Amino acid sequence: MKIAIQKFGGTSVANTTNRTKVVDKIIKQCESGYSVVVVVSAIGRKGDPYATDTLLNLVDKEGMNPRELDLLMSCGEIISGVVLSNVLKDKGYDSTVLTGYQAGIITDNKYGDADVLRVNPDKVLKDLKLGKIVIVTGFQGATSDGEITTLGRGGSDTTAVLLGEALNCEYVEIYTDVDGIMTADPRVVPDARLLEIMSYSEVYQLAEDGAKIIHPRAVEIAERSHIKLIIRNTLNDGKGTLIKDKDCSNTYKKKDRIINAITYKKNRTQVIIVDKERGNSTEKLMDMITRENISIDLINFFSDKKVFTIDKKDIKTMEKILKKEECDYNIVKDCCKLSIIGNRMQGIPGVMSRIVKALSKEDIQILQTSDSHATIWCLIKDKDLEKAVNSLHHEFNLSKKPV
């Protein structure tokens, strides 16, 4: 039995017109000889009647028990699944709707951001063998004793790939409201180009550093099981972006470009701490930051100072810690982290030099840098974001398709 997994996001199922396009894509897979599993998100986005955020606005989130909150949040996907099943019925196709729990997704009891412990796809397989299209509510599962849980941000992507893994699918299609993964945010770079193929590691870094096309956790699961991912637009028939192992891709030859994409994360704040023979107090300081659940990034520790970034929302808490420890510090607000991503940059000389020159031409100050084998990060001021991304996009010829 050939099984296809198709995941449709909130905008894909938001209205009658879009749901008709969704059903057309499901039917096309059926007619191609596939048994189809469909994963759905809640209908629409914030403000739409059945979107998850809209449901949450019905209650006092701060005062609610996390268990009941997850029950409420699970409703949006159930509504979406039943509505889509009804459209399929009108087209003459038999389908069944399963909650995450009924589909065999078992989690721990960390309500709101549960970790999946195992997936038992027996019920899904049984319904597929009966010739049904199986619609699974994304973003949710349940504990082993049946308590409903949700999987956190990007949970529907995670659901789709976990089912793909459990059902031994060759690929998972992620349908959304964009054509695929672009070389940069098209709202910032008008001539950004669609990327036809990317590696897991590149897409993971893009997702981790600001691009909201797919959740990084879903990419990790796909990579461990070598499941190909395809990001496509619900509203057209474009090929989208194929995501797979870099070693099996013919686009990673020597003649291809070393940079594939640029993304960014706003609302970053730089923290600079000047050391004054503080002995072992650095360890104490880091422990305090950890206890306050502050995530730090772009970490550069030197003998005379320590530099890192935090999210804008953590500024007040960080300053309380630094004052309590009598640190000599400086806070640089309104920063943005640029991520320049490409699997081929490792061992290639001159990449950083080109970045510095491109930004210098635009009089953009680089506040901090860091790098890994496939990414270079630069911290700049928010006000320079648009100039910086366009400058780097031009420097590395990302608008032109590689030859």
Side-chain angles (χ1 to χ4, degrees):
M1 179 167 48
K2 293 194 305 179
I3 300 173
I5 307 284
Q6 297 179 306
K7 179 262 177 176
F8 294 95
T11 56
S12 297
V13 293
N15 54 56
T16 301
T17 300
N18 287 7
R19 286 192 289 271
T20 300
K21 292 181 180 295
V22 166
V23 166
D24 288 343
K25 293 183 184 302
I26 295 170
I27 292 172
K28 184 177 180 180
Q29 281 286 28
C30 292
E31 292 177 344
S32 299
Y34 283 91
S35 298
V36 181
V37 178
V38 178
V39 176
V40 291
S41 298
I43 291 175
R45 289 180 176 168
K46 187 174 183 179
D48 293 320
Y50 306 110
T52 301
D53 286 332
T54 304
L55 295 174
L56 287 173
N57 284 336
L58 296 172
V59 299
D60 175 13
K61 298 187 289 291
E62 300 300 323
M64 275 199 75
N65 184 300
R67 176 187 177 276
E68 278 69 46
L69 206 58
D70 267 11
L71 279 173
L72 177 62
M73 287 197 292
S74 70
C75 293
E77 281 72 22
I78 294 173
I79 295 168
S80 184
V82 173
V83 170
L84 189 61
S85 178
N86 187 64
V87 180
L88 281 164
K89 180 182 177 182
D90 288 344
K91 293 277 189 176
Y93 285 80
D94 190 15
S95 64
T96 185
V97 181
L98 302 178
T99 66
Y101 183 46
Q102 291 171 322
I105 297 173
I106 306 301
T107 75
D108 61 17
N109 62 357
K110 190 167 63 176
Y111 296 106
D113 192 21
D115 290 320
V116 176
L117 303 178
R118 61 185 182 277
V119 179
N120 180 357
D122 289 351
K123 172 65 175 168
V124 175
L125 283 168
K126 180 181 177 181
D127 287 333
L128 289 175
K129 288 175 182 177
L130 292 174
K132 296 181 179 181
I133 296 166
V134 179
I135 302 173
V136 179
T137 56
F139 174 65
Q140 61 182 254
T143 64
S144 56
D145 55 356
E147 295 289 346
I148 301 299
T149 56
T150 60
L151 308 183
R153 189 175 67 85
S156 292
D157 293 341
T158 303
T159 300
V161 183
L162 280 169
L163 287 171
E165 182 179 57
L167 294 166
N168 196 28
C169 293
E170 180 183 350
Y171 65 89
V172 174
E173 293 177 308
I174 306 289
Y175 281 95
T176 181
D177 55 0
V178 295
D179 290 341
I181 299 175
M182 310 292 286
T183 52
D185 185 344
R187 295 169 300 179
V188 175
V189 182
D191 60 349
R193 183 179 57 81
L194 176 70
L195 290 160
E196 295 178 359
I197 188 167
M198 294 192 77
S199 71
Y200 295 119
S201 60
E202 288 174 320
V203 177
Y204 177 87
Q205 200 62 66
L206 274 171
E208 187 72 17
D209 287 345
K212 294 179 172 57
I213 195 76
I214 188 172
H215 196 275
R217 180 165 48 182
V219 181
E220 283 185 309
I221 297 165
E223 183 173 21
R224 78 187 182 195
S225 297
H226 305 285
I227 300 169
K228 296 172 185 175
L229 300 174
I230 306 174
I231 311 294
R232 283 185 169 143
N233 195 329
T234 307
L235 305 181
N236 62 45
D237 294 321
K239 291 178 65 176
T241 301
L242 173 64
I243 305 165
K244 60 179 183 176
D245 292 306
K246 67 174 182 178
D247 293 337
C248 60
S249 166
N250 62 10
T251 67
Y252 291 93
K253 296 176 182 177
K254 245 184 176 181
K255 63 182 179 180
D256 292 324
R257 60 169 56 97
I258 56 177
I259 301 299
N260 270 340
I262 301 166
T263 191
Y264 60 88
K265 186 178 287 188
K266 300 181 74 173
N267 297 319
R268 305 306 297 168
T269 298
Q270 187 184 48
V271 180
I272 304 169
I273 304 171
V274 179
D275 284 336
K276 293 182 179 179
E277 298 181 4
R278 298 177 55 81
N280 294 324
S281 60
T282 298
E283 182 178 347
K284 179 183 176 184
L285 181 64
M286 291 299 110
D287 285 342
M288 293 175 70
I289 291 172
T290 301
R291 283 198 299 272
E292 292 293 340
N293 201 31
I294 297 176
S295 176
I296 66 174
D297 192 12
L298 289 182
I299 305 164
N300 299 134
F301 279 16
F302 307 100
S303 59
D304 60 339
K305 65 180 177 180
K306 292 167 179 40
V307 186
F308 52 86
T309 63
I310 60 173
D311 192 272
K312 177 182 178 180
K313 65 180 175 58
D314 294 318
I315 293 175
K316 288 184 178 179
T317 306
M318 177 61 71
E319 288 194 298
K320 286 180 182 178
I321 294 172
L322 296 174
K323 288 175 181 176
K324 183 177 180 181
E325 288 299 293
E326 299 180 345
C327 294
D328 184 1
Y329 69 91
N330 185 33
I331 299 287
V332 183
K333 299 178 182 179
D334 302 320
C335 296
C336 175
K337 183 177 79 168
L338 292 180
S339 302
I340 301 98
I341 299 166
N343 262 326
R344 287 202 57 249
M345 72 168 66
Q346 187 176 21
I348 304 294
V351 179
M352 190 66 202
S353 175
R354 290 175 67 181
I355 292 171
V356 171
K357 286 179 181 177
L359 296 181
S360 295
K361 283 181 183 178
E362 299 293 334
D363 294 321
I364 297 170
Q365 182 184 11
I366 300 175
L367 304 173
Q368 192 178 347
T369 65
S370 186
D371 66 274
S372 71
H373 71 281
T375 308
I376 292 176
W377 296 278
C378 294
L379 190 71
I380 62 171
K381 296 293 288 184
D382 273 341
K383 64 180 179 63
D384 294 323
L385 168 62
E386 189 169 333
K387 284 195 303 180
V389 177
N390 277 279
S391 175
L392 293 172
H393 200 269
H394 176 75
E395 172 64 29
F396 291 101
N397 299 312
L398 297 189
S399 295
K400 298 179 181 178
K401 192 172 181 178
V403 294

